[in-house]
Amino acid sequence: MKMQKSLERLIEEQIKLQAYVVEILDDAAYAERFISAPNNKRSPSMYKILDYCYDKKDMGYYEKPKLVLRATPRQMTRYGLALDILLEIDNKVSDNPREARKILWLRANRFQWTKLGKMFGYHRTTVKRMYETILDKLCNKLKNNLYIYDKIFN
């Protein structure tokens, strides 16, 4: 009975850790949308030219304030944390760490399994199984090195 409870506790901890890692990757992918893109101010883009061609005297002119959304500090820390977690994937976690990082990051960006399968040349269930095994091995590695990521999981 006692061994069964400890086994249940270990499984619960593993599931919680996987949920935390997936949540951090999701937050980071969401925060990436709010990071401003690099801008070359010397070359005008078409959208900048269109912004300047309106005049207040024109018929139907109205000043529409631009809505600028920025990532919150919590999202930016999670973004940095997600990058650190993705860099923990090495040859011990996956045979092809680059592909494994791509699978985790694209899934955090909510790509469908079928699209991921077409991107990597696998069947959708194969990609899902690869994702789950990569996530499981990554969580086992993070569980062993939890003192590094102690600030997030506590």
Side-chain angles (χ1 to χ4, degrees):
M1 190 71 165
K2 192 172 193 176
M3 186 174 174
Q4 184 180 6
K5 286 184 180 180
S6 64
L7 185 62
E8 288 175 1
R9 198 172 87 240
L10 286 174
I11 292 172
E12 276 183 24
E13 287 175 3
Q14 181 73 14
I15 291 172
K16 280 184 183 178
L17 188 59
Q18 284 184 359
Y20 282 139
V21 170
V22 169
E23 182 184 341
I24 288 169
L25 289 173
D26 284 342
D27 282 350
Y30 187 69
E32 190 181 39
R33 297 178 189 166
F34 298 127
I35 297 174
S36 59
N39 188 5
N40 187 1
K41 298 194 186 237
R42 286 186 240 151
S43 65
S45 70
M46 191 61 181
Y47 296 111
K48 288 182 183 176
I49 293 172
L50 289 175
D51 282 344
Y52 293 124
C53 68
Y54 291 118
D55 191 17
K56 290 184 178 182
K57 298 175 194 169
D58 290 344
M59 182 182 275
Y61 173 81
Y62 65 98
E63 191 70 36
K64 183 178 179 183
K66 291 186 178 181
L67 179 64
V68 180
L69 297 175
R70 297 285 178 226
T72 62
R74 178 179 177 234
Q75 287 175 330
M76 291 311 297
T77 55
R78 290 240 170 150
Y79 184 76
L81 193 60
L83 294 178
D84 291 339
I85 288 173
L86 286 175
L87 289 175
E88 285 291 319
I89 299 174
D90 55 1
N91 291 332
K92 294 177 184 174
V93 174
S94 174
D95 295 335
N96 190 352
R98 219 169 155 195
E99 187 178 84
R101 289 181 194 125
K102 284 182 185 179
I103 289 173
L104 284 177
W105 188 249
L106 290 174
R107 187 58 194 160
N109 281 311
R110 301 178 190 270
F111 275 70
Q112 295 176 351
W113 296 115
T114 52
K115 285 187 180 182
L116 291 176
K118 288 177 184 177
M119 277 183 188
F120 296 108
Y122 299 115
H123 192 265
R124 60 184 171 83
T125 56
T126 308
V127 175
K128 186 175 182 179
R129 196 170 355 119
M130 287 170 59
Y131 173 81
E132 289 170 352
T133 55
I134 292 165
L135 190 61
D136 186 46
K137 289 180 180 179
L138 179 64
C139 288
N140 285 335
K141 185 175 182 180
L142 290 177
K143 184 171 57 175
N144 295 336
N145 299 328
L146 195 60
Y147 64 91
I148 297 172
Y149 301 103
D150 194 32
K151 60 185 175 197
I152 13 166
F153 296 127
N154 287 336

